[in-house]
Amino acid sequence: IEDKTEQAMDVALTRAKVVRSIGKKIIAFLSQIENFQKKLFEKRKFVVDTHYCFTLDRVPEALYETILQNEKQLKSWEELYAMEKWDGELKLDGKWTNDFLKDHPFLMVDTKWFDEEFKYQLLSSVEDLDELLDGLNINGDNIQALNLLKEKFISRVDCIHIDPPYNTDTSGFLYKNAYQHSSWLSMMKDRIEISLELLSHDGGLQCHIDENEQAALHKLLDQTDTFDAGTIVWDKKNPILGKKGIATQHEYILWRSKVEQPVYMRNKNILMMLDKAKEFIKQEGGVNEKSRSKYASWLRKQKYLSGGEKAYRLIDDDGRVFQSVGMGAPEPRSNPKFFEPLIHPKTGKKCPVPPNGWSRAPDTLKELVAKNEIIFGEDENKQPRKKVYLTEDSKRQFSSLIDDAKSGKQYLDPLDLEFPYSHPVSLYEETIAGSCKKEGGIALDYFAGSGTTGHAILNLNKEDDGNRNYILVEMGKHFDSVLKPRLQKIVFSNNWKNGIPQDQDGQSHAFKYHFIESYEDALNNIDFKNPDDTQQAMEFEDYMLSYMLDFETQGVSTSLLKDGAFDTPFDYKLNIQRGHESPAEESVDLVETFHYLIGLWVQKLRRMEHQNRKYIISMGQIRDEDSVEDVCIIWRNTKGLDLDEEAGWIQKEIIKDQSFDRIYINGVSKVKDAEPIEITFREKMFEDVA
């Protein structure tokens, strides 16, 4: 430019300014598009549909006749439970009668096959719906599901157990670019951060991984506000041969917690040892040399027991299993009282004192002697030791190594279900039990795959009569073909062969399942206002470049809550894509979506009629850490309503003498202190959206 004439320089500078001006406009427009896409991605997604599965023992007998007349439900049972192949304990003589339904209490009724009237008749029979439900299954993108669950389940999940794609050529994780490691880590970071908000103060995050991303995942977890509880090496006992180097025989489970504390295994082995001791004592007519010898011999042969467990090889005179431990202080004592010798009960002479002195004070030692919890030798020459009893409450800390040679296929093949790769249920039982409380604990798996976590929870509850719950999230088509039928089958029977139940040793159970809107659905449901109505605004350049998308889609796009959505809430529709099918118009479940948006724990869900229209009424609680709000939510079509008459009817038939902290009603109403649903709905749907 310096070599140009002054006139030529002016031309060059003018051209540069034009390019710069155009570039800024392009950047502004692209920024508008990206911000709009971000808004669609981050907004809470709609629940598209909601269905329930109940075992027959939880279904009112008054509904049996309706069930028997539903061909779709009966055909589903025949296929799901392979009824035409039943034999032995399971016979089909006189099937499809009331007596048949009573005799098979663990068949699962699926409201998917019934109309809305049946669904609400079933739900009306339940007084505390969310407490009754044992599981929640969501078919959809896991990050969208986690965002939807956050309000209700924040700090309530005891165990997050995930088996994400391992970022290998065979893992099925797809990339839109070549940055495989960064894309995978970004995917994991987003989901882990949200899910940790759901984790309870003493809960645990357990994440499976192999050597390919173990180090990177460890560093990622180091950036979270959690403590490293340790890493479990899972020895699969099956080396995977490769073209190079060493055959891989193990995987990892990275374990994180919100507090630093020991992680204990379930006491299955302990209970078995105590039962065996009782069994041998009974066989031999009491505690004697034979019963003690039999127990010790049996214990030595159990290869799967740890050395610490095998140390409990003794039985005292009252039948209690114990081991002996030394009582020496770990560090030298200075006070002479810790060196006072114990007197042998038979010889009356002093026994040896540990070199560092006793770990306990003299008074404590006297109490232990009085309770017969000190083991003396045959004479005073042997140092006394303390009895440590094995009890039902005894705990064993998790080891960093787990042996389990089983495969997930061993559990799926008997059910006649196929899935590319899954882990053994036995492994999940051990790890999940380490975090998930027996009474009311919740386990979350948002890479649910074939449903192994749900299967493990069912087994644990059946084993110890617990009431743990599960939340499973899976986006694949196998949600319907594998995950859901797997749960339905295991609920009916835990013993299958070639896809045929061998008995009906099942369990009472109920779960809810959803299909939810995806980000792609949100994009597919964007509409724009009539250009004729906005022609004037289009003339402003700043509007076109920076504000057009937000304003032109507002009020007309179903993804973003179209105007009039709450006038006819039961008819609100989106174009939804399921799998590889073309998008189709489906009604969305605004009722259930609102439950999640406000974090409602539903107690009662009812369908009523008034002024020739249906009403859906939810009653429940919003449970924060420090408070509980009683809430009533009322939905109805608003067109042509006599609001005065309605207010009196609602007061008399719905609210009655109950006291609610909040009452929500869609649209205009004259119910005292009622809040319009739509204001809270919009606020919550777009909460935290940048």
Side-chain angles (χ1 to χ4, degrees), residues 497-521:
K497 184 178 181 181
N498 300 323
I500 305 167
Q502 303 301 295
D503 54 42
Q504 55 175 332
D505 182 26
Q507 57 191 293
S508 181
H509 195 73
F511 65 77
K512 176 166 64 175
Y513 65 99
H514 301 299
F515 184 86
I516 64 171
E517 176 195 16
S518 68
Y519 168 62
E520 288 73 19
D521 291 329

Side-chain angles (χ1 to χ4, degrees), residues 63-75:
L63 296 177
Y64 280 13
E65 194 59 40
T66 305
I67 295 170
L68 292 169
Q69 293 173 7
N70 189 307
E71 291 296 329
K72 290 182 178 179
Q73 177 65 87
L74 302 184
K75 184 178 179 182

Side-chain angles (χ1 to χ4, degrees), residues 272-287:
M272 181 184 63
M273 291 163 63
L274 294 173
D275 287 342
K276 275 294 179 182
K278 291 176 184 176
E279 180 184 325
F280 292 131
I281 290 170
K282 185 176 180 181
Q283 285 178 4
E284 301 303 328
V287 179

Side-chain angles (χ1 to χ4, degrees), residues 610-611 613 615 636-643 646 668:
H610 180 64
Q611 294 189 33
R613 69 195 68 209
Y615 282 68
R636 78 281 200 243
N637 288 342
T638 61
K639 293 180 180 178
L641 262 175
D642 183 332
L643 296 176
E646 181 196 55
V668 179

Side-chain angles (χ1 to χ4, degrees), residues 39-301:
K39 175 182 178 180
L40 291 177
F41 187 83
E42 291 183 344
K43 83 172 187 81
R44 304 288 194 274
K45 298 302 184 287
F46 290 102
V47 174
V48 177
D49 56 28
T50 303
H51 296 294
Y52 298 83
C53 285
F54 279 60
T55 49
L56 279 170
D57 66 317
R58 300 191 184 192
V59 177
E61 197 173 324
L63 296 177
Y64 280 13
E65 194 59 40
T66 305
I67 295 170
L68 292 169
Q69 293 173 7
N70 189 307
E71 291 296 329
K72 290 182 178 179
Q73 177 65 87
L74 302 184
K75 184 178 179 182
S76 172
W77 280 345
E78 288 179 338
E79 294 174 355
L80 187 64
Y81 302 113
M83 287 182 168
E84 74 281 0
K85 299 178 182 178
W86 280 8
D87 196 9
E89 290 184 32
L90 293 169
K91 293 187 180 296
L92 279 176
D93 298 338
K95 72 170 180 174
W96 309 148
T97 64
N98 272 30
D99 287 340
F100 179 85
L101 299 188
K102 291 178 186 176
D103 291 340
H104 299 82
F106 303 136
L107 290 172
M108 296 208 84
V109 173
D110 190 344
T111 61
K112 168 185 177 180
W113 306 117
F114 295 84
D115 59 19
E116 188 181 83
E117 183 179 353
F118 175 89
K119 174 180 171 181
Y120 279 98
Q121 282 181 319
L122 175 58
L123 298 180
S124 295
S125 67
V126 179
E127 286 301 313
D128 200 343
L129 181 59
D130 275 347
E131 290 298 325
L132 172 84
L133 295 174
D134 305 292
L136 170 62
N137 303 303
I138 299 178
N139 188 191
D141 189 322
N142 52 18
I143 198 165
Q144 306 298 349
L146 290 170
N147 267 321
L148 191 63
L149 294 169
K150 188 161 59 173
E151 193 73 26
K152 181 173 182 177
F153 290 98
I154 189 166
S155 301
R156 294 185 182 276
V157 171
D158 297 286
C159 175
I160 298 173
H161 185 101
I162 53 174
D163 175 30
Y166 283 1
N167 199 13
T168 60
D169 292 337
T170 59
S171 69
F173 183 67
L174 303 177
Y175 305 92
K176 293 183 179 179
N177 53 47
Y179 300 104
Q180 290 197 10
H181 291 287
S182 59
S183 294
W184 185 86
L185 282 170
S186 177
M187 180 273 294
M188 291 297 295
K189 179 178 183 292
D190 292 343
R191 285 149 180 81
I192 286 173
E193 283 181 350
I194 297 174
S195 66
L196 285 175
E197 294 183 50
L198 309 183
L199 196 64
S200 64
H201 75 282
D202 58 349
L205 165 69
Q206 305 162 16
C207 185
H208 292 256
I209 198 67
D210 66 3
E211 73 286 347
N212 192 50
E213 290 286 8
Q214 189 265 347
L217 181 60
H218 199 288
K219 290 179 181 177
L220 175 64
L221 290 172
D222 282 342
Q223 297 173 23
T224 64
D225 188 21
T226 59
F227 295 100
D228 184 0
T231 298
I232 292 176
V233 178
W234 168 31
D235 183 359
K236 299 187 289 185
K237 302 292 185 181
N238 180 29
I240 305 299
L241 305 179
K243 294 180 181 178
K244 299 178 181 178
I246 298 169
T248 303
Q249 186 171 308
H250 69 280
E251 290 182 15
Y252 302 96
I253 303 172
L254 306 189
W255 200 308
R256 295 281 167 150
S257 59
K258 285 193 173 181
V259 293
E260 283 190 293
Q261 60 185 13
V263 179
Y264 295 106
M265 301 182 73
R266 59 182 175 146
N267 59 356
K268 179 182 178 181
N269 290 351
I270 292 169
L271 296 177
M272 181 184 63
M273 291 163 63
L274 294 173
D275 287 342
K276 275 294 179 182
K278 291 176 184 176
E279 180 184 325
F280 292 131
I281 290 170
K282 185 176 180 181
Q283 285 178 4
E284 301 303 328
V287 179
N288 49 46
E289 282 305 310
K290 284 187 176 180
S291 58
R292 285 175 169 135
S293 176
K294 269 192 172 183
Y295 172 72
S297 175
W298 171 84
L299 197 67
R300 284 193 299 272
K301 297 174 183 176

Side-chain angles (χ1 to χ4, degrees), residues 405-473:
K406 295 176 184 175
S407 71
K409 188 175 170 60
Q410 290 176 248
Y411 293 89
L412 288 173
D413 281 353
L415 301 172
D416 196 27
L417 296 173
E418 293 184 8
F419 193 74
Y421 179 77
S422 62
H423 286 158
V425 176
S426 53
L427 175 69
Y428 280 39
E429 288 172 5
E430 292 300 335
T431 57
I432 290 173
S435 292
C436 196
K437 301 179 183 72
K438 175 183 174 182
E439 299 301 328
I442 300 175
L444 166 65
D445 185 349
Y446 49 90
F447 290 100
S450 65
T452 307
T453 292
H455 192 157
I457 290 291
L458 286 167
N459 283 3
L460 287 170
N461 286 342
K462 187 173 177 62
E463 179 184 296
D464 61 14
D465 199 27
N467 65 336
R468 305 170 187 85
N469 298 327
Y470 56 84
I471 302 173
L472 308 181
V473 183

